[in-house]
């Protein structure tokens, strides 16, 4: 016979101890969460500056992809125009040969080779000497030209198709780089929003102080590197106070390389769009003491930032998101070399 003994219930003392232990654990967890230190204003600023630097790296890659997209689009358009013109020329040549064939037919006989051409692809029989022997010199010349035009068109169509594939890949890369920049900027903004109103005001005050320092920058007796460097630098000076916006190339907002390329364009000089490409656009100068006003200055090992040398250890540049075009010390970032355009 099965036993129906009742399970032993835990004693009141044990339940009380367990309840008390659980309550204590919850309380300790709550206290630990409350005691977790909030990052200071300086710590947040350090993280935000790092995110802005990463965003600028991604921005220059975005600029490179955008520049490549523009170049590829121009090449595709040119090839498609070439194909269209070639097709028109081919149609004209075919129409001309058709007119000859009509005349032969009306005069009592259609040349067998022309008849063959009109009923199939000329590539099929132009390689056969017997067909060429039956043609007159003008017809031979016309058919040869048509064949050549067809081959050229086929090659141009193939090239255009390849360029279209490259263009599609570049557009995809462009979207990826844009999202990367936006992610970094959004993370930076989230960190800034975690600060108190007082701390955000303090950071804003620091930026205002940097702008005031820029207005008082002493450029010494700076000598321009050349007439065009002087013109580009003067154009850059006219944009002091203009906001930094990633991917922007003026005239109402700039990123770092957008600022320098725009300024040189005002001097009638075309330079590449990205900082890495600008690093190879002229003669490199590795000693700061040899820099002259209007020289480009390249920063960071991966060359993701560029500005103008202004003189007396100062640079003129578009620093980063949240700032404006201004003067700053050349020592604020890791200098790599100058570039004389």
């Amino acid at each position: 016979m099965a036993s129906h003994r009742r399970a032993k219930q835990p004693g009141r003392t044990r339940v009380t101890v367990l309840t008390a232990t659980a309550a204590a654990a919850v309380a300790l967890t709550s206290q630990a969460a409350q005691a977790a230190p909030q990052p200071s204003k300086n710590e947040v600023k350090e993280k935000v500056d790092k995110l802005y630097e990463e965003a600028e790296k991604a921005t220059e890659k975005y600029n490179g992809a955008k520049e490549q997209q523009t170049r590829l689009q121009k090449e595709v358009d040119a090839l498609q125009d070439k194909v269209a013109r070639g097709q028109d020329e081919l149609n004209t040549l075919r129409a001309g040969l058709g007119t000859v064939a009509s005349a032969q037919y009306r005069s009592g006989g259609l040349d067998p080779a022309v008849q063959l051409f009109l009923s199939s692809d000329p590539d099929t029989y132009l390689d056969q000497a017997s067909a060429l022997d039956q043609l007159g010199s003008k017809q031979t010349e016309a058919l040869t030209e048509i064949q050549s035009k067809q081959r050229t068109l086929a090659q141009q169509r193939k090239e255009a198709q390849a360029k279209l594939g490259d263009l599609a890949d570049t557009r995809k890369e462009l979207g990826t780089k844009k999202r990367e920049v936006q992610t970094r900027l959004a993370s930076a903004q989230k960190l800034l929003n975690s600060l108190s109103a007082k701390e955000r005001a303090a950071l804003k005050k620091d930026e205002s102080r940097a702008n005031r320092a820029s207005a008082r920058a002493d450029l010494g007796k700076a000598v321009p590197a050349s007439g065009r460097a002087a013109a580009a630098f003067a154009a850059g000076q006219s944009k002091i106070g203009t906001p930094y916006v990633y991917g922007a190339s003026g005239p109402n907002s700039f990123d770092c390389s957008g600022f320098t390329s725009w300024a040189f364009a005002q001097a009638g000089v075309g330079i590449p769009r990205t900082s890495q490409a600008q690093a190879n656009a002229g003669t490199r100068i590795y000693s700061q003491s040899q820099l002259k006003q209007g020289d480009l200055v390249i920063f960071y090992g991966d060359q993701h930032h560029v500005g103008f040398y202004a003189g007396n250890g100062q640079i003129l540049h578009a620093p980063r998101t949240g700032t404006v075009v201004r003067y700053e010390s050349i020592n604020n970032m890791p200098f790599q070399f100058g570039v004389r355009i």
Side-chain angles (χ1 to χ4, degrees), residues 110-122:
L110 182 61
D111 191 307
V114 175
Q115 186 176 12
L116 181 61
F117 165 74
L118 293 174
S119 62
S120 64
D121 192 318

Side-chain angles (χ1 to χ4, degrees), residues 174-256:
L174 190 63
T176 299
K177 296 306 177 188
K178 185 175 183 178
R179 287 191 295 274
E180 187 178 345
V181 175
Q182 291 172 333
T183 297
R184 297 289 191 277
L185 295 180
S187 297
Q189 190 58 54
K190 186 176 180 180
L191 275 171
L192 289 172
N193 291 342
S194 71
L195 295 174
S196 67
K198 184 177 180 180
E199 288 171 324
R200 288 197 297 272
L203 286 178
K204 191 173 181 180
K205 188 175 181 180
D206 290 342
E207 281 301 319
S208 297
R209 189 179 300 115
N211 291 337
R212 289 196 300 273
S214 171
R216 299 191 302 270
D218 179 9
L219 306 184
K221 296 180 180 180
V223 177
S226 64
R228 58 186 181 179
F233 184 73
Q237 285 180 306
S238 73
K239 291 299 178 179
I240 290 175
T242 303
Y244 179 104
V245 173
Y246 86 89
S249 54
N252 300 317
S253 57
F254 300 96
D255 61 22
C256 69

Side-chain angles (χ1 to χ4, degrees), residues 56-213:
E56 187 173 42
K57 289 181 184 180
T59 294
E60 288 306 292
K61 291 177 181 177
Y62 165 82
N63 290 335
K66 193 173 182 180
E67 188 174 40
Q68 185 179 17
Q69 177 185 251
T70 301
R71 177 180 58 78
L72 284 172
Q73 187 64 66
K74 288 179 180 177
E75 290 177 4
V76 166
D77 290 345
L79 278 169
Q80 289 178 334
D81 285 345
K82 206 179 276 186
V83 166
R85 288 195 303 272
Q87 188 63 57
D88 287 342
E89 292 170 4
L90 182 59
N91 292 341
T92 300
L93 288 171
R94 281 174 169 166
L97 193 59
T99 301
V100 171
S102 297
Q104 287 181 347
Y105 181 78
R106 286 193 301 271
S107 65
L110 182 61
D111 191 307
V114 175
Q115 186 176 12
L116 181 61
F117 165 74
L118 293 174
S119 62
S120 64
D121 192 318
D123 285 343
T124 304
Y125 66 91
L126 272 178
D127 294 329
Q128 300 176 16
S130 59
L132 287 174
D133 290 342
Q134 300 175 43
L135 297 175
S137 61
K138 288 186 178 179
Q139 291 170 342
T140 301
E141 184 179 341
L143 286 173
T144 303
E145 189 174 358
I146 287 173
Q147 183 190 43
S148 175
K149 185 66 68 177
Q150 284 178 321
R151 288 173 176 167
T152 300
L153 274 175
Q155 181 60 36
Q156 288 172 346
R157 285 194 176 101
K158 185 178 179 180
E159 189 177 348
Q161 195 61 40
K163 290 290 183 185
L164 283 169
D166 292 341
L167 184 58
D169 291 341
T170 300
R171 282 174 175 160
K172 185 177 179 181
E173 181 186 1
L174 190 63
T176 299
K177 296 306 177 188
K178 185 175 183 178
R179 287 191 295 274
E180 187 178 345
V181 175
Q182 291 172 333
T183 297
R184 297 289 191 277
L185 295 180
S187 297
Q189 190 58 54
K190 186 176 180 180
L191 275 171
L192 289 172
N193 291 342
S194 71
L195 295 174
S196 67
K198 184 177 180 180
E199 288 171 324
R200 288 197 297 272
L203 286 178
K204 191 173 181 180
K205 188 175 181 180
D206 290 342
E207 281 301 319
S208 297
R209 189 179 300 115
N211 291 337
R212 289 196 300 273

